[in-house]
């Protein structure tokens, strides 16, 4: 019987399905901490999570797409809470509380993730369904496009996997 | 010191707690990709996720159960979005967008998962609480009943575990 | 090439982000089953999840904090469902169904987790943002405070990691 050599693979593969302020903050807090510990970190932005990568509203093709693109938030400053949002009031309150406490905002956490070389992967199927083009997403060297296969490849090599 | 032999266990164990169209699509997309890579795949349908396995509405015993069974969707064609659902309009729009884009519908993803021999496990505690009987769920050879113990057994042997 | 010795680490590290009745029940059911199998179990209570650890409402400092603390539930008996909650009616119905079926309530599951020595970790950043003090949380020997680093340390040593 051959003994396999095991390389202790750390690493975090995180699917960010939610685009909510609170969940995105949790995701980026964990991602930044993991990158700080020297893990390779991969965030897969899918469905609502992709809204965090949008830098501009962009034009939709057709009525349906236009509607969805209007309803979907653009960037981390426009997202609401997953609970107690009350049409945006909860999100605004949370942002005020965060500023008051001196804790990091979502925008700051995303920038820290970029400084720490966290890999961003935008889900191609979600981009297709929501009608988002690459040019509508933020510029970042480590932002690539991928699919479920890409996630599984990275997940296999990661110690920790989360769906947020 | 004895060296342990490590068998590289791939495999995906996924708890599908949500019955929402968008989250279920994410879950089945990953499950199908994993099965395509030759992973053994286990989906544990719990709470709202069980609604995806219902083939008929069934009769509730008592008023409470009747209410819950009426409110709980029946099958993948009736589920809404986790966000922007607007009483079903969001779900309908999403279904239209998916058809227009030529991407796979949830129903097609579930069928693909079955073709790829993904194991379905219905959570017994959830069935008990919601008053669902086995006969009200879809027919599928690889559909069994289980509990948290069953999940942990499969999770121990899987590389990737997700709660969706 | 040196062969590394691998110790089969079981263990469950669970981030409980949600404070919803249904999700918390799923989390504690898995945690209790894992502890019953002899896993070391760690639950990280973050954001809304922290409301489950509150024993009293406590006073907020300033208007914003007062508002949030009023809106945030206190303890497991006050949480609602993630779906079909209808301002608390869904949660009340679910509690009635659970009692009727003779299945365990969330309160009972939490007590069982404590008996089985599940480790509770309250997220310091969330406590800071929500203005919660240690004295407002339940008394439990195995309740400590921690951050994302603490989670990653435990996650590295755990076979199963979930974000709920």
């Amino acid at each position: 019987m051959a003994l396999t050599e095991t390389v202790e693979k750390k690493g975090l593969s995180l699917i960010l399905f939610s685009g909510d302020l609170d969940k995105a903050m949790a995701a980026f807090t964990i991602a930044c901490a993991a990158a700080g510990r020297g893990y390779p970190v991969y965030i897969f932005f899918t469905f609502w999570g992709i809204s965090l990568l949008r830098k501009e509203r962009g034009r939709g093709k057709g009525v349906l797409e236009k509607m969805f693109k209007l309803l979907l938030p653009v960037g981390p400053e426009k997202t609401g809470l997953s609970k107690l949002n009350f049409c945006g009031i909860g999100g605004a309150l949370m942002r005020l509380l965060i500023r008051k406490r001196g804790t990091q905002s979502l925008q700051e956490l995303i920038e820290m993730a970029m400084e720490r070389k966290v890999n961003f992967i935008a889900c191609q199927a979600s981009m297709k369904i929501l009608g988002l083009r690459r040019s509508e997403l933020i510029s970042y060297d480590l932002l690539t496009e991928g699919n479920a296969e890409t996630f599984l490849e990275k997940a296999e090599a990661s110690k920790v996997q989360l769906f947020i």
Side-chain angles (χ1 to χ4, degrees), chain A:
Chain A
M1 280 198 311
L3 284 159
T4 61
E5 190 201 16
T6 57
V7 183
E8 184 50 62
K9 288 164 183 164
K10 296 200 172 177
L12 168 69
S13 293
L14 193 154
I15 297 178
L16 186 48
F17 173 92
S18 169
D20 296 324
L21 175 62
D22 43 1
K23 289 197 169 175
M25 287 190 65
F28 279 96
T29 301
I30 299 166
C32 286
R37 280 174 88 81
Y39 284 38
V41 181
Y42 299 88
I43 306 182
F44 291 77
F45 295 81
T46 186
F47 263 85
W48 315 107
I50 284 218
S51 61
L52 297 165
L53 297 178
R54 293 173 80 191
K55 67 175 176 196
E56 49 173 81
R57 193 157 286 284
R59 280 192 206 164
K61 284 177 287 188
V63 179
L64 279 184
E65 193 177 303
K66 276 200 178 82
M67 279 183 64
F68 250 91
K69 288 182 92 167
L70 267 175
L71 290 170
L72 207 63
V74 177
E77 297 300 318
K78 299 295 179 196
T79 62
L81 294 179
S82 65
K83 291 275 153 186
L84 305 181
N85 195 46
F86 304 125
C87 303
I89 300 172
L93 281 182
M94 183 62 82
R95 285 195 174 80
L96 277 171
L97 275 176
I98 287 165
R99 203 179 309 156
K100 212 177 132 193
R101 301 280 184 254
T103 43
Q104 286 168 306
S105 71
L106 177 55
Q107 183 61 50
E108 287 165 339
L109 286 168
I110 294 175
E111 283 161 16
M112 186 192 279
M114 288 170 156
E115 280 162 24
R116 294 186 177 182
K117 308 292 181 205
V118 168
N119 298 279
F120 288 8
I121 295 123
C123 168
Q124 287 168 325
S126 304
M127 289 175 70
K128 197 174 168 191
I129 290 173
L130 300 169
L132 295 174
R133 278 164 290 276
R134 182 67 183 79
S135 61
E136 294 169 46
L137 305 185
I138 56 165
S139 298
Y140 174 43
D141 281 353
L142 299 179
L143 169 60
T144 52
E145 293 179 31
N147 54 24
E149 291 283 325
T150 325
F151 167 71
L152 289 166
E153 264 169 44
K154 301 305 182 190
E156 280 172 22
S158 299
K159 182 70 194 80
V160 182
Q161 306 108 16
L162 300 172
F163 182 98
I164 297 186

